[in-house]
Amino acid sequence: MSVHDTLLHRLKRGCETMAYPKGPAPALPDRHGGALKVETAKCTAGCSACVTVCPTEAIARPTGKPVALDLGRCIFCAECVKVCPTKAITQTNDHRMAVRRREDLVLGDTAKEQVRLAQALDEKLRRLFGRSLKLRQVSAAGCNACEADTNVLGTIGWDLGRFGIQFVASPRHADGLLITGPVSKNMELALKKTYAALPEPRIVIALGACAIAGGPFIGHPQHHNGASGLVPVDLFIPGCPPHPLTILDGLLRLLGKLEERR
Amino acid sequence: MRRDTPFTLLTNGAALSWADVSEWPLAEFLRNVNAELDRGERLISFFGVPEGDALRLVAVLAFDAGNTLAVGRSQPFTGSFQALTRTHAQAHLFEREIWEQHGVVPENHPWLKPVRKDHGAGPAVGDFFRVDGREVHEVAVGPVHAGIIEPGHFRFQCAGEEVLHLEIALGYQHRGVEEAIAGGPHHSTVYQMETVAGDTTIAHATAYANTLEALAGTEAPLRAQWLRAVALELERLANHTGDLGALAGDVAFLPTASACGKIRGDFLNLTALLCGNRFGRGLVRPGGCPLDGDAERLGRLRERLETALAEVQQAAAWLWDAASVRTRFEFTGQLGAKQAAAIGLVGPAARACGLVRDVRFDHPAGWYRFAQVPVSVWPDGDVFARARVRWLEIQRSGDFLREQLDAVPEGETMSPLPALAPNSLAVALVEGWRGEVCHVALTGADGRLRRYKITDPSFHNWTGLALALRGQAISDFPLCNKSFNLSYCGFDL
Ligand code: SF4
């Protein structure tokens, strides 16, 4: 094969970057399910079927109170959806679920049936980072799935670079930190040092159930149940791992690059 | 099958009574293990089982040529034992681990230091092997790396550009996986097994399911075994394709790097077509596979698979055709077959040194008893060979999937899991995309898991990377590292 053939093949393939966000978002796999929705009005009294099947204690129903589902702890196994007799917990097929405040991931109460999606950074930070956001990634006991699906955003299909977002090789070059994993005790020091090495102003993104709350390993003594206890987090992106589309949505939302709000 | 061994024999995915496992006084146990390793058998798991204040050692061996596994145990002891590492390097990490987990000392171990635990300076960090000399300098890299990569620490001893010695210190990813299973299986265990190494979800979940099914005296329905094999090969396709792309990227050959990055995602999406998750979460459960695919879904899978395979074929053709790639791949990071065998290398890295070892072939379990995948081997032991073996495996996994999707077995995909037999031991091996995933489960009198030992292929293979670096330019580290592409969390557990 000559160089010309190679070039010709590439030309024939054309541009492979998806149209989103200008065009429509690609569909999630039909069995993915997307974000969950909780309608406590549908719950029958005394039922706690969902609470018992949840592997990460993401669902609670204190006596006399409505069911509360913490999407930050959720690993999206959908066991609760299957077991709920009244369809109070359902899948929305919506890929959007990143939030700015931890409490916005707790669903249940009235007006909190679904996640309150992330607001953009304030004007000043948006002016700073809106056109160029350099991130340093710290994996702190992530299982390499969150890492892999962040990496995928760099491929030609997603092309994160077109939004000015880039992962850099030194914290000194970075505007923010993207953390995966529950933060093992063994990574605590490295994480703190990396954070300290970022010039201010800086932002922190917690990606995946592990980084938000401990994930499948929630409650184990070998880690910190997520990053929040160690560094201030500005964006939470739920999932195990979050679909690349969910991650991209979160990043763009933070930078105020998506029009619709909820 | 070999009969001339004092060890208790069993096959992959089988269970036996703990009382039936051959037992000897410590010294005799060590002599017996040593004798089998002398004959060229492989140590696939070696761990301690506490008995009150004392400890028992358990060794699981693979007799690859005889398609059999063998297990033996020592009588309980306290204090120390003579290290096997002195004669068989493949035991070195296992013995460090036993020391770290149980406090018994492997005497005369040449390099006894932590595997995962933090002793003040950072996990597994401490005294590094130092090379002295006026021109010698040391390079330290990590734990945080320049990219989106798991953490680990690399310490190089260099003379100029040349690496004289590399020591790899891991443990940063330690989540306490094995401790968490004790007393289980718990409700959360299967979810944790899926994330032992998140890019190897199917292999680890299948190994876990196989041990439980063996202990429960049952088997998953055939169609579930079939689904697991399909998912396992999809996992291999995605990761091997990603690796080819990453290797191309590391030698600045962008056409293949770009194309493979995308095609890798296409393969992941095929797994998502089956279960909704790109990494196969929720696909495998003890007792079977909860999500089936109807003819329409499997038809779509078949169609999209064909497209992705054609694309990867094209991307690989560019790669193999480029002289600039070949000159960078050839003779870089070479590892000899003898050395590879001595350290117990597994998976594509071992096959790239000419070693014919593949669980699917040597110890077939599940669907691989009915459908075979040829073993892909390349003799040279360099980056080229490791890339080449991946490419051969992509083609063979592709052929396997085509064949399987054209003849789908019928039936159920889930069956109930009876209670686990008490006081029993089960071993399950699965050939994950990085190599041999080994799970050993031991139940107590109550039928709960008393000890669960996981060996990710990376546990064997990190040493291979360290050796491959000797005599290399340090600038070739990223390329060599990528050619192994090992798991940090799978090692750290
Ligand atoms: S959230 Fe899930 S996918 Fe992400 S690192 Fe944790 S276990 Fe892995």
Side-chain angles (χ1 to χ4, degrees):
Chain A
M1 203 182 344
S2 75
V3 174
H4 298 104
D5 292 325
T6 311
L7 288 176
L8 202 67
H9 275 296
R10 292 305 303 153
L11 277 176
K12 264 199 233 146
R13 295 192 65 108
C15 176
E16 294 189 70
T17 306
M18 64 180 64
Y20 176 81
K22 284 203 182 106
L28 286 179
D30 65 332
R31 284 181 167 173
H32 184 286
L36 299 178
K37 181 175 168 188
V38 183
E39 293 160 286
T40 51
K42 291 188 181 170
C43 291
T44 37
C47 172
S48 59
C50 53
V51 178
T52 21
V53 295
C54 179
T56 54
E57 292 166 36
I59 316 179
R61 188 168 191 191
T63 17
K65 292 228 175 106
V67 158
L69 189 158
D70 183 351
L71 226 44
R73 288 180 164 218
C74 179
I75 56 170
F76 297 81
C77 63
E79 291 298 325
C80 53
V81 177
K82 271 175 249 161
V83 85
C84 177
T86 57
K87 295 202 162 49
I89 304 181
T90 48
Q91 294 177 318
T92 62
N93 291 320
D94 193 343
H95 65 270
R96 303 169 305 168
M97 46 186 129
V99 303
R100 294 293 308 278
R101 294 178 312 177
R102 181 70 182 84
E103 59 269 27
D104 286 345
L105 287 173
V106 183
L107 313 180
D109 271 339
T110 10
K112 289 188 72 180
E113 288 89 5
Q114 299 192 48
V115 284
R116 194 162 304 154
L117 294 175
Q119 298 285 318
L121 292 167
D122 65 35
E123 194 52 42
K124 188 171 150 241
L125 284 182
R126 235 186 317 159
R127 265 218 303 280
L128 270 173
F129 301 147
R131 290 160 61 115
S132 161
L133 178 67
K134 307 290 172 205
L135 295 171
R136 173 74 163 164
Q137 206 273 321
V138 173
S139 166
C143 76
N144 203 30
C146 275
E147 290 79 355
D149 263 354
T150 305
N151 245 327
V152 96
L153 293 179
T155 59
I156 49 175
W158 299 89
D159 190 16
L160 195 60
R162 67 193 153 129
F163 308 106
I165 306 172
Q166 197 189 355
F167 288 91
V168 292
S170 163
R172 296 287 193 213
H173 301 161
D175 307 308
L177 202 55
L178 185 139
I179 303 169
T180 52
V183 190
S184 48
K185 295 264 159 83
N186 286 348
M187 273 304 284
E188 178 181 343
L189 180 65
L191 175 65
K192 284 183 174 162
K193 279 189 178 176
T194 304
Y195 179 72
L198 290 173
E200 291 186 71
R202 57 199 163 187
I203 59 168
V204 175
I205 301 164
L207 180 98
C210 279
I212 300 174
F217 294 91
I218 195 162
H220 286 195
Q222 299 289 353
H223 61 73
H224 289 279
N225 289 314
S228 301
L230 301 167
V231 290
V233 177
D234 302 282
L235 184 71
F236 299 87
I237 308 180
C240 184
H243 193 274
L245 192 55
T246 304
I247 306 175
L248 183 59
D249 169 79
L251 295 174
L252 296 182
R253 214 162 273 285
L254 186 71
L255 298 180
K257 296 199 175 192
L258 290 177
E259 296 308 314
E260 25 81 57
R261 298 272 157 72
R262 185 165 72 205
Chain B
M1 192 189 274
R2 266 190 56 194
R3 306 251 173 235
D4 54 337
T5 174
F7 284 80
T8 310
L9 300 179
L10 77 168
T11 51
N12 180 12
L16 46 78
S17 156
W18 182 226
D20 289 344
V21 175
S22 307
E23 180 189 290
W24 307 283
L26 179 65
E28 196 181 340
F29 164 80
L30 293 167
R31 256 201 317 279
N32 287 339
V33 178
N34 207 51
E36 294 298 349
L37 297 181
D38 282 345
R39 303 169 71 148
E41 309 296 14
R42 256 171 353 101
L43 189 61
I44 58 171
S45 197
F46 186 31
F47 56 94
V49 176
E51 297 270 9
D53 290 337
L55 187 78
R56 250 184 223 286
L57 293 179
V58 180
V60 187
L61 300 155
F63 298 175
D64 290 337
N67 314 108
T68 334
L69 306 178
V71 51
R73 57 183 180 156
S74 77
Q75 288 169 358
F77 69 100
T78 53
S80 64
F81 64 100
Q82 284 298 323
L84 290 169
T85 306
R86 290 173 309 153
T87 41
H88 293 287
Q90 55 177 308
H92 79 117
L93 266 170
F94 285 119
E95 292 188 326
R96 280 168 57 177
E97 187 184 45
I98 290 167
W99 170 70
E100 182 171 83
Q101 291 183 347
H102 307 285
V104 295
V105 181
E107 274 179 48
N108 301 314
H109 190 292
W111 201 237
L112 191 58
K113 56 182 282 184
V115 182
R116 308 180 174 104
K117 297 248 162 87
D118 188 337
H119 291 251
V125 178
D127 291 338
F128 284 101
F129 184 84
R130 293 286 286 269
V131 179
D132 283 330
R134 263 184 37 176
E135 302 297 319
V136 174
H137 63 106
E138 200 178 48
V139 180
V141 179
V144 184
H145 298 283
I148 307 176
I149 314 166
E150 295 176 71
H153 183 87
F154 302 95
R155 192 69 69 94
F156 300 87
Q157 311 291 322
C158 300
E161 274 282 293
E162 189 190 337
V163 177
L164 300 173
H165 183 75
L166 161 63
E167 194 169 340
I168 301 170
L170 302 175
Y172 295 91
Q173 296 279 73
H174 183 52
R175 294 164 294 177
V177 178
E178 286 180 4
E179 295 100 290
I181 317 173
H186 307 293
H187 187 39
S188 53
T189 304
V190 72
Y191 303 95
Q192 292 168 357
M193 289 298 111
E194 291 185 318
T195 60
V196 166
D199 48 26
T200 313
T201 296
I202 300 295
H204 275 288
T206 302
Y208 171 67
N210 286 353
T211 60
L212 291 204
E213 284 155 11
L215 288 168
T218 177
E219 235 187 55
L222 277 183
R223 186 171 164 111
Q225 298 186 23
W226 175 85
L227 260 173
R228 289 174 184 179
V230 166
L232 187 68
E233 297 310 319
L234 284 175
E235 188 166 86
R236 194 180 325 279
L237 279 173
N239 284 295
H240 280 5
T241 302
D243 283 350
L244 278 190
L247 283 165
D250 262 2
V251 298
F253 189 70
L254 296 186
T256 303
S258 307
C260 284
K262 179 188 162 288
I263 306 163
R264 173 182 163 281
D266 295 339
F267 284 125
L268 292 178
N269 286 339
L270 295 184
T271 301
L273 181 63
L274 287 175
C275 71
N277 183 292
R278 285 156 55 89
F279 297 87
R281 308 284 159 84
L283 203 140
V284 179
R285 288 289 173 268
C289 295
L291 291 157
D292 200 356
D294 57 12
E296 189 273 330
R297 186 176 295 271
L298 294 176
R300 252 190 299 158
L301 177 69
R302 176 77 169 85
E303 216 169 277
R304 284 164 60 180
L305 173 76
E306 214 48 70
T307 316
L309 285 172
E311 289 190 0
V312 76
Q313 168 98 39
Q314 183 67 71
W318 298 328
L319 184 77
W320 303 123
D321 201 46
S324 66
V325 169
R326 286 200 305 272
T327 50
R328 290 286 282 108
F329 281 10
E330 281 171 353
F331 309 112
T332 306
Q334 238 173 341
L335 197 61
K338 254 208 186 125
Q339 226 175 3
I343 58 169
L345 210 69
V346 295
R351 295 192 281 278
C353 298
L355 299 181
V356 186
R357 52 176 67 155
D358 185 324
V359 172
R360 293 171 294 173
F361 178 76
D362 298 324
H363 307 281
W367 194 253
Y368 296 99
R369 291 170 298 176
F370 315 119
Q372 273 76 42
V373 186
V375 183
S376 308
V377 183
W378 201 264
D380 300 333
D382 52 8
V383 171
F384 183 87
R386 288 186 283 277
R388 197 69 196 173
V389 165
R390 284 184 174 88
W391 169 233
L392 292 173
E393 294 191 0
I394 287 172
Q395 298 172 79
R396 285 164 183 187
S397 293
D399 289 343
F400 175 86
L401 285 172
R402 284 188 183 112
E403 205 174 287
Q404 293 311 313
L405 289 164
D406 286 343
V408 183
E410 312 227 310
E412 295 294 303
T413 61
M414 257 329 255
S415 63
L417 191 77
L420 308 187
N423 295 318
S424 301
L425 177 118
V427 183
L429 298 182
V430 174
E431 186 71 24
W433 63 275
R434 281 194 189 93
E436 179 179 285
V437 166
C438 173
H439 286 212
V440 184
L442 174 65
T443 52
D446 55 357
R448 313 289 300 172
L449 292 170
R450 171 180 169 199
R451 181 79 169 94
Y452 200 91
K453 183 83 207 86
I454 298 171
T455 312
D456 187 84
S458 306
F459 193 76
H460 301 283
N461 283 11
W462 277 110
T463 309
L465 171 62
L467 293 179
L469 249 288
R470 290 198 178 161
Q472 295 297 304
I474 191 169
S475 48
D476 273 339
F477 175 68
L479 182 61
C480 292
N481 189 21
K482 215 65 72 59
S483 75
F484 281 85
N485 191 11
L486 301 173
S487 172
Y488 298 76
C489 59
F491 178 98
D492 289 343
L493 295 178

